[in-house]
Amino acid sequence: MTILEDLWYGNVRPTERSIVRGSKLDNLMNLLCQNEDDLMSGLTDKQKETFEKFKDCQSEITDYLETEAFTQGFTIAVKLMVEVMKTMEIPEV
């Protein structure tokens, strides 16, 4: 299969990541969860509701920024390829 076919059939998922145990990301995720649990335990129900709304907004912002970064990165890669193709010598027939 080509990369385009893999992308079409969902075999390539640019936003999907695996987290390696003990990695910096794994440690940060664990710390985030621990801090959230500590914070939530001291909040009232109203404050918990507000915090959940805050997290939802933060998640939407993150999704938006990741989409923008992917789009910009892809655009730059295509421009680089076009530039490289322009500089390649075309053999005479």
Side-chain angles (χ1 to χ4, degrees):
M1 246 184 228
T2 68
I3 187 69
L4 289 176
E5 289 171 328
D6 280 338
L7 189 59
W8 174 259
Y9 289 110
N11 299 329
V12 175
R13 297 173 193 90
T15 58
E16 206 171 88
R17 296 176 190 90
S18 60
I19 299 174
V20 177
R21 286 195 179 272
S23 68
K24 184 175 182 174
L25 181 57
D26 183 44
N27 292 334
L28 287 170
M29 294 291 288
N30 288 331
L31 184 59
L32 177 70
C33 289
Q34 180 184 357
N35 287 333
E36 182 179 351
D37 290 343
D38 290 347
L39 178 62
M40 291 292 275
S41 68
L43 298 179
T44 66
D45 287 342
K46 176 66 176 158
Q47 290 170 327
K48 288 178 184 178
E49 182 181 326
T50 301
F51 184 58
E52 288 299 325
K53 290 177 183 177
F54 170 84
K55 290 191 317 181
D56 290 343
C57 288
Q58 185 64 45
S59 180
E60 284 187 47
I61 290 169
T62 299
D63 289 345
Y64 176 81
L65 292 174
E66 284 184 353
T67 301
E68 287 294 307
F70 176 79
T71 302
Q72 290 175 359
F74 187 83
T75 301
I76 290 169
V78 169
K79 287 179 180 180
L80 285 169
M81 291 305 301
V82 167
E83 188 172 320
V84 167
M85 298 298 284
K86 284 181 181 178
T87 62
M88 293 178 69
E89 218 177 296
I90 300 173
E92 293 184 28
V93 182

